[in-house]
């Protein structure tokens, strides 16, 4: 038996009301209401009465029952077309006061074909995908990722944000405490307190370390997203490194304010030079991160090796010493570490009384080589990153 | 029309050797038609979808297409289970470079079509598989493409959602084409006109979905 699209939306002991899908029925429709198989009432829907309500094009119907025969609990109701006997969707209905509410809820959820068509037209009117330049696609994907990364990094728990600030400070306090224990806590280093000196080393170091660590397995974390062609693994790593750098800059500024509060003279020698060092470090971090992430994808075991190699970095990257404090025999070896140069140059840019020994040529060269290798590995194994 | 010209696809296996999914496949798929894609597990249905979507390009050969093809929307991929439905939808809109106004309209559509009510503002990990399917389907329908790639989504939804999906397909008839991968013969019969049966790295095109279903049934025997 065919089914009439529509619903009974309102029931009371004296009236049954609802709507009928107006689609494809230009001729008058005669409906009848059967109560327990007996004819209760009739209703003629004449000229199409389209009632537009909440995007729905419907034809309303209503039956009024005789005053001497109201509906009673347990009555079975059927609404049908008198011509072909097609029954309204959802019939037979059992009448009881409780069902009335559930019917209304269902009616609100069910759209008609017209509504669907209107929805489709609405979407068709919006801008279509695939009409942007590749730079715009790249930019939009990056923008979307920055917000997503913000959510991913700090949105899950408030402690993540607090930890991002606290973690470098814990190291700062630790280093200062060790210095005090060695009995040299009151001495200045290059005209500033030990704590400030350490802080200038910790910031560029943690920028690298956090950024690099977020790259390891970074493309895997978003592997489901590569089914949107606009999203490339490179975007993920770029945003992740950028994000760690920006976070560290915020933390850096926060603590500088703190230092100034406690009377430390904040007189950066050259802010622009600092920005240049950090930008070069950014390129270095991203390049190395790309390379490392490709390694981790192609060879998961390499992750352990990388984390072992990472461990001594804190000790050899000049966080708590400067290059000229290192004895000659060891210095030649330590100078191979580009991070040492980066940290040294950053500190040199901030400290008036310190002339850094770090080499610009070496830092920029390492960043260039790291980026070149990273991009080469990325280009070669991009497909593996996409389909991991 | 989507044209595959001598397309081959192989994967290098981790222990050496190659697995060929397709060898020298040439095929023309009509536009503005709902195409049911059938095949046994591992026949290469998903590989075909991924090639069409441009995620995993063919190892050799070429795919040509004038219209725009949607990203494949399946039950799981592409969504972050930690983000809410609303946040996920916003993310997709941002990827596509929507302005705030356009995004608001798309979100209204997705919310209305997916029927998630208050769950729209809950993380996806709290969704049932049916809710995920509805959400993924709504997101994909919120963008106007010439071809939609849909992988098993409609099979998961309940009866009522299937009706809405069918209504949506019906409204797209003559406007866009849908490539529907499913093991559910009934839903293919309902929604598709023509069929593609994939077997042993070959794709057989049938002008009638019934013929494709017959070939698939024979294949399964």
């Amino acid at each position: 038996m065919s089914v009439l699209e529509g619903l009974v939306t309102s029931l009371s002991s004296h009236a049954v009301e609802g709507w009928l899908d107006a689609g494809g029925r230009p001729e008058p429709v005669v409906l009848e209401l059967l109560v327990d198989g007996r004819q209760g009432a009739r209703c003629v829907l004449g000229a199409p009465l389209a009632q537009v309500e909440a995007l729905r094009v419907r034809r309303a119907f209503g039956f009024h029952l005789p005053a001497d025969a109201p509906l009673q609990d347990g009555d079975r109701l059927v609404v049908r077309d008198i011509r072909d006997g097609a029954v309204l969707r959802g019939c037979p209905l059992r009448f009881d006061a409780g069902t009335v509410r559930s019917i209304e809820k269902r009616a609100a959820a069910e759209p008609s074909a017209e509504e669907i068509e209107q929805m489709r037209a609405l979407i068709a009117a919006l801008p279509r995908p695939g009409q942007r330049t590749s730079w715009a696609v790249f930019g939009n994907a990056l923008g979307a990722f920055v917000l997503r990364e913000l959510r991913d990094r700090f949105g899950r728990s408030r402690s993540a944000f607090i930890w991002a600030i606290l973690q470098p400070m814990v190291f700062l306090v630790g280093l200062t405490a060790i210095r005090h224990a060695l009995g040299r806590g009151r001495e200045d280093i290059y005209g500033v307190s030990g704590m400030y000196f350490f802080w200038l080393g910790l910031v560029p170091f943690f920028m690298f370390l956090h950024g690099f660590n977020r790259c390891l397995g970074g493309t895997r974390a978003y592997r489901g997203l590569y089914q949107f062609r606009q999203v490339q693994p490179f975007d993920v790593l770029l945003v992740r490194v950028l994000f760690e750098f920006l976070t560290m800059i915020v933390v850096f500024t926060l603590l500088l304010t703190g230092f100034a509060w406690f009377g430390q003279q904040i007189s950066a020698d050259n802010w622009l030079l600092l920005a240049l060092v950090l930008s070069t470090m950014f390129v270095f971090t991203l390049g190395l991160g790309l390379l490392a992430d490709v390694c981790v994808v192609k060879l998961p075991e390499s992750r352990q090796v990388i984390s072992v190699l990472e461990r001594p970095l804190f000790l050899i990257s000049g966080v708590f010493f400067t290059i000229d404090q290192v004895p000659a025999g060891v210095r030649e070896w330590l100078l191979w570490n580009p991070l040492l140069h980066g940290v040294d140059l950053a500190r040199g840019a901030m400290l008036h009384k310190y002339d850094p020994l770090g080499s610009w040529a070496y830092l920029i060269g390492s960043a260039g080589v790291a980026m070149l290798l990273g991009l080469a590995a990325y280009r070669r194994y991009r497909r593996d990153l996409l389909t991991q | 029309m989507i044209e595959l010209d001598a397309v081959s696809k192989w994967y290098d296996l981790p222990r050496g050797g190659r697995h060929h999914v397709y060898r020298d496949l040439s095929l023309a798929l009509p536009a503005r038609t709902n195409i049911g894609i059938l095949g046994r597990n591992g026949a290469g249905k998903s590989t075909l979808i991924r090639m069409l979507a441009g995620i995993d390009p063919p190892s050799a050969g070429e795919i040509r297409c004038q219209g725009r093809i949607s990203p494949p929307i399946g039950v799981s991929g592409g969504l972050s289970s930690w983000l809410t439905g609303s946040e996920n939808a916003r993310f997709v809109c941002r990827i596509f470079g929507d302005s705030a106004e356009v995004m608001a309209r798309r979100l209204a559509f997705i919310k209305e079509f997916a029927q998630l009510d208050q769950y729209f503002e809950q993380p996806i990990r709290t969704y049932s598989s049916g809710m995920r399917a509805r959400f993924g389907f709504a997101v994909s329908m919120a963008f106007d493409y010439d071809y939609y790639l849909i992988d098993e989504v409609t099979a998961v939804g309940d009866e009522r959602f299937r009706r809405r999906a069918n209504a949506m397909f019906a409204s797209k008839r003559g406007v866009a084409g849908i490539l529907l991968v499913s093991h559910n013969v009934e839903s293919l019969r309902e929604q598709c006109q023509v069929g593609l049966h994939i077997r042993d790295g070959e794709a057989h095109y049938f002008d009638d979905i019934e013929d494709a279903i017959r070939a698939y049934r024979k294949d399964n025997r």
Side-chain angles (χ1 to χ4, degrees):
Chain A
M1 199 191 301
S2 63
V3 175
L4 291 173
E5 282 301 332
L7 269 178
V8 172
T9 54
S10 156
L11 267 176
S12 67
S13 56
H14 292 286
V16 177
E17 290 169 16
W19 56 271
L20 187 70
D21 193 328
R25 280 178 168 265
E27 80 282 15
V29 180
V30 183
L31 295 177
E32 68 176 345
L33 173 70
L34 302 181
V35 182
D36 280 338
R38 289 171 285 108
Q39 187 196 318
R42 254 186 205 187
C43 163
V44 182
L45 303 181
L49 172 71
Q51 182 190 346
V52 181
E53 180 193 311
L55 284 174
R56 278 176 199 154
V57 184
R58 313 156 163 178
R59 213 190 276 184
F61 64 77
F63 300 99
H64 291 277
L65 289 136
D68 56 339
L71 293 176
Q72 283 157 2
D73 274 6
D75 280 347
R76 281 160 53 87
L77 307 178
V78 174
V79 176
R80 69 176 193 192
D81 187 339
I82 203 162
R83 189 170 310 166
D84 55 8
V87 172
L88 190 74
R89 184 173 293 285
C91 289
L93 277 171
R94 271 170 63 88
F95 177 77
D96 75 280
T99 52
V100 177
R101 226 170 298 126
S102 71
I103 290 171
E104 279 171 354
K105 210 170 151 194
R106 218 165 58 209
E110 196 79 20
S112 65
E114 282 80 6
E115 192 192 355
I116 295 274
E117 174 56 31
Q118 282 174 16
M119 287 162 108
R120 191 198 65 76
L122 192 121
I123 289 301
L126 297 180
R128 303 193 71 192
Q131 292 169 340
R132 295 169 295 161
T133 63
S134 54
W135 281 106
V137 172
F138 180 59
N140 287 330
L142 280 192
F145 256 113
V146 168
L147 291 168
R148 181 138 184 179
E149 184 69 8
L150 187 70
R151 187 65 218 249
D152 193 48
R153 183 82 164 74
F154 297 127
R156 287 188 201 181
S157 64
R158 246 162 278 170
S159 60
F161 184 67
I162 294 166
W163 182 236
I165 299 174
L166 271 179
Q167 193 242 15
M169 283 166 69
V170 167
F171 275 83
L172 182 63
V173 170
L175 284 174
T176 314
I178 290 171
R179 194 154 178 278
H180 271 272
L182 293 174
R184 295 161 66 180
R186 305 223 164 262
E187 295 170 33
D188 278 0
I189 314 176
Y190 299 107
V192 295
S193 72
M195 207 178 202
Y196 186 57
F197 177 85
F198 293 145
W199 184 236
L200 296 181
L202 278 168
V203 167
F205 176 74
F206 275 126
M207 279 182 174
F208 167 81
L209 197 69
H210 290 172
F212 181 75
N213 278 336
R214 289 288 284 176
C215 283
L216 293 179
T219 57
R220 191 178 167 77
Y222 287 119
R223 63 187 186 279
L225 280 179
Y226 306 137
Q227 58 179 264
F228 299 105
R229 252 162 309 171
Q230 294 85 347
V231 180
Q232 294 296 321
F234 182 80
D235 306 349
V236 178
L237 298 189
L238 178 60
V239 167
R240 284 201 155 185
V241 175
L242 189 68
F243 207 79
E244 291 308 318
F245 271 62
L246 291 180
T247 309
M248 267 326 273
I249 285 174
V250 170
V251 178
F252 179 54
T253 321
L254 271 178
L255 228 71
L256 278 194
T257 320
F259 278 116
W261 184 270
F262 286 105
Q264 173 70 53
Q265 185 86 33
I266 310 290
S267 58
D269 218 21
N270 194 336
W271 286 112
L272 272 181
L273 208 62
L274 181 70
L276 191 62
V277 179
L278 296 185
S279 309
T280 317
M281 295 265 296
F282 176 82
V283 174
F284 178 71
T285 308
L286 182 59
L288 216 58
L290 267 170
L291 191 62
D293 188 57
V294 173
C295 284
V296 168
V297 169
K298 287 302 287 179
L299 204 72
E301 296 83 359
S302 62
R303 195 165 187 154
Q304 270 77 40
V305 178
I306 291 171
S307 63
V308 168
L309 289 178
E310 260 182 9
R311 238 162 260 169
L313 277 184
F314 183 75
L315 301 175
I316 61 168
S317 296
V319 173
F320 49 86
F321 59 85
T322 56
I323 294 176
D324 60 354
Q325 290 171 345
V326 182
V330 187
R331 192 191 293 174
E332 288 74 17
W333 288 103
L334 288 193
L335 278 174
W336 283 102
N337 176 11
L339 274 182
L340 178 59
H341 292 260
V343 169
D344 202 55
L345 287 168
R347 196 178 266 141
M350 285 295 285
L351 289 182
H352 184 61
K353 289 188 180 163
Y354 177 59
D355 273 327
L357 292 176
S359 155
W360 272 102
Y362 188 66
L363 180 64
I364 292 175
S366 320
V369 169
M371 191 44 114
L372 196 73
L373 289 177
L375 285 176
Y378 176 74
R379 201 180 146 79
R380 170 69 184 77
Y381 295 108
R382 193 174 69 96
R383 239 176 240 186
D384 297 276
L385 296 185
L386 282 172
T387 56
Q388 48 190 305
Chain B
M1 189 161 80
I2 304 177
E3 278 177 288
L4 284 82
D5 187 7
V7 165
S8 293
K9 180 72 195 173
W10 63 76
Y11 291 100
D12 290 326
L13 297 173
R15 304 237 165 139
R18 266 177 186 176
H19 172 60
H20 279 264
V21 187
Y22 291 104
R23 276 179 217 261
D24 239 9
L25 175 69
S26 292
L27 193 67
L29 297 172
R32 293 185 283 281
T33 311
N34 293 357
I35 305 169
I37 300 179
L38 292 133
R40 281 166 28 193
N41 290 336
K45 301 184 297 289
S46 298
T47 305
L48 180 66
I49 290 285
R50 295 163 60 82
M51 285 200 295
L52 292 176
I55 302 163
D56 203 5
S59 313
E62 200 189 347
I63 296 177
R64 282 187 296 269
C65 174
Q66 263 101 43
R68 275 175 282 271
I69 304 179
S70 85
I73 296 288
V75 181
S76 56
L79 308 170
S80 162
S81 54
W82 287 90
L83 300 187
T84 68
S86 157
E87 284 164 340
N88 267 295
R90 273 169 220 272
F91 178 74
V92 177
C93 289
R94 280 194 202 105
I95 287 179
F96 284 92
D98 279 353
S99 65
E101 189 203 346
V102 172
M103 192 194 288
R105 289 201 199 167
R106 267 199 236 283
L107 285 179
F109 168 85
I110 293 168
K111 192 176 180 187
E112 165 79 24
F113 194 79
Q115 288 180 300
L116 293 168
D117 303 325
Q118 75 274 22
Y119 274 96
F120 196 52
E121 303 296 340
Q122 294 294 332
I124 299 248
R125 77 191 125 91
T126 63
Y127 291 12
S128 70
S129 61
M131 286 159 78
R132 269 170 199 251
R134 289 205 310 261
F135 180 72
F137 187 78
V139 168
S140 130
M141 287 298 150
F143 294 88
D144 206 30
Y145 288 102
D146 298 304
Y147 300 92
Y148 290 89
L149 306 175
I150 293 169
D151 202 343
E152 284 285 3
V153 171
T154 45
V156 183
D158 58 10
E159 176 61 32
R160 200 169 84 193
F161 176 64
R162 270 238 282 287
R163 274 209 305 276
R164 313 192 99 197
N166 284 350
M168 197 42 147
F169 285 149
S171 84
K172 297 236 182 226
R173 198 159 287 161
V175 182
I178 288 148
L179 280 81
L180 186 65
V181 174
S182 184
H183 287 287
N184 186 337
V185 170
E186 280 316 309
S187 75
L188 286 175
R189 193 172 270 152
E190 237 173 286
Q191 287 150 358
C192 301
Q193 295 101 53
V194 304
L196 195 66
H197 174 229
I198 296 177
R199 189 188 175 207
D200 298 336
E202 283 175 37
H204 300 281
Y205 174 80
F206 295 92
D207 266 331
D208 186 348
I209 184 74
E210 291 300 329
D211 293 334
I213 290 171
R214 225 165 285 134
Y216 171 65
R217 289 226 160 111
K218 207 167 119 200
D219 184 14
N220 262 321
R221 218 171 283 139

